[in-house]
């Protein structure tokens, strides 16, 4: 997990990062501001908004988009009003599938301001993921069965869940219908057998 923070060090503005995050124009240095993370351009990668004051106390605000090489570059064609003592957040207020921006804080004249920026990025079509393949069932013994398969691929995300159906009829889900990751050890059969045994023990 990457953690970003704005503050000062030796009376100089600084952005603290716990992992390697590379800005191609050098790491920005701000204080008295905020950081908001979101995929503002709908390319599947998180981008960063920074607000605050620079070394000469000028309020700043800028968006840095994440490139395919995982490096961050300042978005050149978007001009934002600089704020300090600020908060910022991405929110899709009009539910059109892209993130809009709201910022509040003090401007260069120390006047309280709130700015709202509506995004017209548009929605990128998300193609349905491929079908998982190579389903295997491994008998682990003692009522344990392991299901494995080759994962699907998706044009947006590598974090996919899978729905396993266990039934007594073709296409049925009489025994189980739950979401699992790429591979899961299922002990449902053992659980059912134990449950049936307890029923027989108490009622017979």
């Amino acid at each position: 997990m990457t953690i970003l923070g704005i503050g000062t060090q030796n009376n100089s503005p600084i952005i603290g990062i716990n992992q390697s995050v590379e800005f191609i124009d050098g790491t920005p240095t701000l204080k008295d501001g905020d950081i908001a993370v979101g995929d503002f351009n709908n390319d599947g990668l998180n981008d960063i908004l920074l607000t605050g004051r620079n070394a000469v106390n000028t309020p700043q605000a800028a968006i840095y988009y994440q490139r395919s090489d995982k490096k961050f570059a300042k978005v050149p064609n978007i001009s934002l009003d600089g704020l300090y003592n600020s908060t910022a957040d991405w929110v899709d207020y009009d539910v059109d599938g892209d993130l809009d921006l709201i910022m509040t804080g003090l401007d260069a004249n120390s006047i309280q301001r709130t700015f709202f920026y509506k995004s017209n990025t548009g929605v990128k079509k998300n193609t349905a993921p491929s079908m998982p393949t190579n389903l295997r069932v491994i008998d682990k013994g003692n009522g344990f069965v392991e299901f494995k398969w080759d994962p699907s691929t998706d044009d947006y995300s590598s974090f996919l869940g899978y729905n396993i159906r266990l039934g007594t009829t073709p296409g049925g889900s009489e025994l189980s219908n739950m979401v699992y990751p790429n591979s899961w050890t299922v002990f449902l059969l053992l659980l059912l057998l134990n449950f049936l045994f307890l029923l027989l023990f108490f009622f017979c």
Side-chain angles (χ1 to χ4, degrees), residues 21 36 45 73 92 103 115 118 147 157 172 175 191 200-201:
V21 176
L45 301 173
D92 182 12
M103 302 191 308
F115 295 108
K118 183 182 183 301
F147 293 86
S157 175
L175 299 178
L191 185 63
L200 291 172
F201 179 79

Side-chain angles (χ1 to χ4, degrees), residues 5 17 22 43 54 71 79 86 89 91 102 104 107 131-133 137 144 190 202:
I17 307 174
E22 184 174 349
D43 64 352
N54 61 14
K71 298 178 182 179
S79 177
S86 50
D89 204 359
V91 57
I102 185 169
T104 182
D107 65 12
M131 292 287 292
T133 57
V137 181
F144 286 86
L190 180 61
F202 284 109

Side-chain angles (χ1 to χ4, degrees), residues 120-141:
N120 293 312
T121 302
V123 181
K124 179 182 176 183
K125 182 180 179 181
N126 182 205
T127 304
S130 63
M131 292 287 292
T133 57
N134 195 24
L135 176 64
R136 290 98 69 196
V137 181
I138 303 171
D139 186 356
K140 308 295 287 187

Side-chain angles (χ1 to χ4, degrees), residues 57-73:
N57 291 323
T58 301
Q60 305 281 310
I63 300 172
Y64 295 82
Y65 73 96
Q66 186 174 178
R67 309 189 316 181
S68 58
D69 60 2
K70 307 302 182 183
K71 298 178 182 179
F72 288 86

Side-chain angles (χ1 to χ4, degrees), residues 11 13 38 50 96 105 111 117-118 128 153 174 195 203:
N11 295 321
L50 300 176
D96 64 349
I111 298 174
Y117 298 91
K118 183 182 183 301
T153 57
E174 295 86 355
F195 179 70
F203 293 100

Side-chain angles (χ1 to χ4, degrees), residues 4 7 47 84 98 107 157 163:
L4 300 172
D47 311 299
Y84 72 98
D98 53 23
D107 65 12
S157 175
N163 207 1

Side-chain angles (χ1 to χ4, degrees), residues 130-199:
S130 63
M131 292 287 292
T133 57
N134 195 24
L135 176 64
R136 290 98 69 196
V137 181
I138 303 171
D139 186 356
K140 308 295 287 187
N142 298 319
F144 286 86
V145 178
E146 184 175 7
F147 293 86
K148 284 189 174 183
W149 55 88
D150 294 340
S152 303
T153 57
D154 185 77
D155 60 347
Y156 261 89
S157 175
S158 58
F159 300 98
L160 300 176
Y162 301 86
N163 207 1
I164 293 182
R165 295 186 305 178
L166 299 178
T168 57
T169 59
S173 57
E174 295 86 355
L175 299 178
S176 176
N177 191 356
M178 294 179 285
V179 176
Y180 296 98
N182 290 354
S183 174
W184 200 265
T185 301
V186 180
F187 53 91
L188 181 63
L189 180 58
L190 180 61
L191 185 63
L192 287 173
L193 290 175
N194 288 338
F195 179 70
L196 291 174
F197 175 79
L198 289 174
L199 287 178

